[in-house]
Amino acid sequence: MDSSYLVQAIAQCETAVENRENTPEKWQEAFTDLGNLLQGMGQFDRAIIWHSLALESEASLGEVYCQLGELHLLEKNWSAALSCFENAREYLPNSAKVYSSLAQINGQLQNKEAEMNAWYRATEINPNLVNNTGYYKLAKALEENGKITEAIACYQRATEGKTGLANAFYDLGEIYQRQGKLDEAQRIYEKILEIEPTEARAQYKLGNIYLQRRSFEQAIDYFRQTIRNAPDFPWAYRDLVKTFLILGKWDEAISTCYAILNLVDEYPWVYSHLGNALREKGNLAEAAVNFQKTCAYRGWQQCVENEYFFTLDIFSHRIEIWTNYLQSLIGKERANALEVGFYQGMSACWLLDNILTGATAKLTCVDQNYAPKLKENITKTGSESKVSFLTGNSHELLAACTPNSFDLINLQDRCKLIDHSEKNTSLGWKLLKSGGIMIFNYYGWHNPGNVQQNPKIGIDRFLESVRGQWEELYQSPQALQLIIRKL
């Protein structure tokens, strides 16, 4: 039978139920006609439903709209089906069937957020509607859309029973860690180990939690368990070395670094940690060689070629970040950069080698005093003529600089007090050109023993006063970096 007759019959039914003043005889007749048509098409189950609806003295509009929606689905008329089930929702607000149908239709229409919300509501009404895998997929979608409370509920469902999904456990634990709910995260990872006692990833996560709590011996124990069960798990080695460095166990840190190089692979952070431990042991030349290797592995080969001598590395892990966001300044003539806080000049040397390569580019360096190796490293760049050194009180020196004159300002002052950081930001803002880039280091670092040592508070306080005049380019709690552009 031609489906055009079905479309016409559906339209007649919709007209009948839309006009609420119609007498029962009107919609009963439309329902009977549709039932007869479906019977003639061999759709006996559907025909029975419509004949049953025709016998009722009062239309059950929720059911009517559901059945009309189902018929539109047969015709793959997604928009019409969506309209019907949205109408049905008004009359059946607690129907899992209605919400699951809305989810499937929105999926066909690529309305991803509406699909996600409908599935979540359907599972609230009927928790058994989907299995663990379904809950996991829904949880991922909710998390990606910032609906963390709902995501947690779905991850919890995905971890239930004997078929609980391992990835759901880990994703749930990650959320708890980000929220600072370490007890909840710990229980998640311990539950994994109850199921699989040698699960290295869970052991590593527990080691991380104990490290966050500064329970160092427990952290070391879990990192070592991880390495025993997964000898090629690099991050367990990394955090084991980090823990040894915090505890001042230099020999253990050094031996672990060499074990990584012998057993696992070469990673930039291995050389950085090894350099830190060697420095503390007084082996400055060896430390400098390892910091050169760190930089070379991160793409800065000139660090080895020019034999820069650094015994401190607070910069190399930011090379990739800076490379991405400073592209517009590479080779730019008359590019003008400012650094506050100079140390041994690692970031300055990198800027001269990779960014401030234009013949007329300039770099101004401001600090209270300079490390002995600073000018020697700058000379090795071959670009010392581009560099101006200003020594003394940073606030006084910055106040004397020309306003709106710098394309790039890097703030990494040793003083991390709130008020000092706010003043640095204020002075730097006046010096930055429109379109210029400002980099804040130590953003997110704080001293647990001194609440005044929290640069982020001071930086945020000033930036709030000029809201709308800048845009965030990058922020990373791990790298302790905030990069903005002045509008």
Side-chain angles (χ1 to χ4, degrees):
M1 185 178 293
D2 192 337
S3 67
S4 62
Y5 290 109
L6 177 60
V7 174
Q8 183 179 356
I10 293 171
Q12 290 171 347
C13 287
E14 289 176 337
T15 301
V17 297
E18 283 170 5
N19 186 351
R20 306 296 169 82
E21 296 180 358
N22 275 350
T23 60
E25 289 79 9
K26 292 287 185 181
W27 46 260
Q28 287 171 337
E29 180 183 349
F31 295 171
T32 300
D33 289 344
L34 181 54
N36 290 335
L37 179 60
L38 289 166
Q39 185 174 340
M41 296 176 68
Q43 296 278 340
F44 300 113
D45 290 342
R46 296 183 189 277
I48 290 170
I49 293 172
W50 283 103
H51 284 307
S52 297
L53 289 170
L55 294 174
E56 296 179 7
S57 59
E58 185 175 337
S60 175
L61 291 178
E63 180 64 19
V64 169
Y65 278 120
C66 281
Q67 293 303 323
L68 287 170
E70 293 286 350
L71 293 175
H72 282 304
L73 289 178
L74 284 178
E75 296 295 304
K76 295 186 178 180
N77 188 342
W78 311 119
S79 296
L82 179 64
S83 177
C84 284
F85 281 107
E86 285 176 341
N87 285 326
R89 181 174 56 192
E90 293 182 24
Y91 299 96
L92 302 170
N94 296 311
S95 169
K97 175 187 175 184
V98 169
Y99 280 99
S100 63
S101 296
L102 283 170
Q104 294 173 58
I105 295 166
N106 277 299
Q108 291 290 340
L109 294 171
Q110 298 299 307
N111 298 329
K112 295 301 182 184
E113 186 172 358
E115 177 188 13
M116 173 190 71
N117 291 335
W119 273 125
Y120 183 71
R121 179 64 183 131
T123 58
E124 277 189 312
I125 298 167
N126 180 4
N128 297 319
L129 190 63
V130 299
N131 58 16
N132 296 73
T133 301
Y135 272 112
Y136 179 65
K137 291 179 179 177
L138 181 55
K140 294 292 285 185
L142 288 162
E143 184 181 359
E144 288 169 6
N145 280 269
K147 299 191 173 186
I148 303 302
T149 301
E150 295 86 346
I152 289 172
C154 289
Y155 279 130
Q156 289 172 336
R157 296 288 304 196
T159 60
E160 290 178 353
K162 295 182 179 179
T163 57
L165 301 178
N167 285 338
F169 281 103
Y170 285 113
D171 289 343
L172 181 56
E174 289 281 358
I175 290 178
Y176 285 142
Q177 281 189 269
R178 289 198 299 270
Q179 293 179 332
K181 297 178 179 179
L182 298 186
D183 288 342
E184 288 88 337
Q186 180 174 338
R187 281 194 288 270
I188 290 294
Y189 300 132
E190 287 174 344
K191 187 174 181 181
I192 296 173
L193 291 177
E194 288 175 12
I195 300 168
E196 180 50 70
T198 60
E199 174 60 34
R201 187 177 167 192
Q203 292 167 336
Y204 170 70
K205 291 291 187 180
L206 284 170
N208 245 248
I209 288 173
Y210 281 113
L211 183 57
Q212 284 182 262
R213 287 175 167 155
R214 303 185 73 79
S215 300
F216 298 118
E217 294 306 322
Q218 291 98 322
I220 289 170
D221 182 54
Y222 273 109
F223 292 142
R224 283 176 166 161
Q225 287 184 48
T226 305
I227 291 167
R228 278 198 299 272
N229 291 314
D232 58 349
F233 196 112
W235 312 119
Y237 290 95
R238 180 196 63 185
D239 291 342
L240 178 59
V241 175
K242 185 192 298 184
T243 309
F244 285 143
L245 292 174
I246 293 171
L247 294 173
K249 295 185 176 183
W250 315 123
D251 291 330
E252 288 92 333
I254 291 168
S255 62
T256 305
C257 285
Y258 284 128
I260 299 168
L261 295 173
N262 290 330
L263 299 175
V264 187
D265 206 342
E266 296 186 53
Y267 297 94
W269 49 263
V270 179
Y271 293 110
S272 184
H273 287 335
L274 182 54
N276 287 328
L278 289 166
R279 179 190 63 240
E280 297 299 331
K281 292 280 289 183
N283 300 331
L284 299 185
E286 286 185 65
V289 168
N290 280 282
F291 290 135
Q292 289 174 8
K293 290 179 180 179
T294 299
C295 293
Y297 270 97
R298 288 179 164 133
W300 183 20
Q301 192 61 41
Q302 295 101 316
C303 190
V304 175
E305 295 169 356
N306 294 339
E307 297 183 341
Y308 297 134
F309 194 94
F310 304 121
T311 59
L312 181 68
D313 178 11
I314 59 170
F315 170 71
S316 71
H317 61 288
R318 297 169 179 154
I319 287 175
E320 183 178 358
I321 302 167
W322 285 30
T323 300
N324 288 339
Y325 290 98
L326 301 182
Q327 290 288 317
S328 62
L329 296 178
I330 296 176
K332 180 180 178 180
E333 294 301 332
R334 293 184 295 281
N336 199 10
L338 170 69
E339 281 207 314
V340 181
F342 213 50
Y343 300 88
Q344 295 172 327
M346 183 179 280
S347 59
C349 290
W350 182 85
L351 285 169
L352 293 167
D353 284 340
N354 295 278
I355 305 298
L356 302 174
T357 53
T360 56
K362 296 291 183 185
L363 174 62
T364 301
C365 301
V366 174
D367 212 334
Q368 192 74 33
N369 47 62
Y370 293 113
K373 287 288 182 179
L374 169 63
K375 291 192 176 180
E376 181 182 320
N377 284 327
I378 294 296
T379 299
K380 289 178 180 179
T381 67
S383 301
E384 64 270 27
S385 62
K386 297 179 180 180
V387 183
S388 300
F389 298 96
L390 302 178
T391 310
N393 182 283
S394 63
H395 292 164
E396 294 175 1
L397 294 171
L398 292 175
C401 292
T402 305
N404 303 310
S405 60
F406 291 99
D407 301 283
L408 170 66
I409 296 178
N410 176 38
L411 299 178
Q412 54 183 15
D413 202 325
R414 290 174 177 82
C415 181
K416 303 177 182 67
L417 294 173
I418 293 171
D419 291 343
H420 187 91
S421 300
E422 182 179 10
K423 183 69 172 177
N424 266 357
T425 307
S426 173
L427 291 166
W429 179 263
K430 294 174 182 176
L431 302 179
L432 190 64
K433 294 178 182 178
S434 294
I437 293 173
M438 186 177 287
I439 301 174
F440 300 96
N441 297 275
Y442 311 118
Y443 188 80
W445 177 92
H446 67 282
N447 182 353
N450 183 351
V451 295
Q452 288 302 310
Q453 287 190 318
N454 192 334
K456 182 179 183 296
I457 293 176
I459 294 166
D460 286 345
R461 202 152 61 193
F462 176 78
L463 291 180
E464 180 63 25
S465 73
V466 290
R467 180 189 293 206
Q469 300 177 44
W470 55 274
E471 64 174 339
E472 180 181 304
L473 299 180
Y474 176 83
Q475 183 181 158
S476 169
Q478 291 77 26
L480 301 177
Q481 288 267 278
L482 172 67
I483 302 177
I484 68 168
R485 176 183 285 118
K486 188 175 185 179
L487 299 177

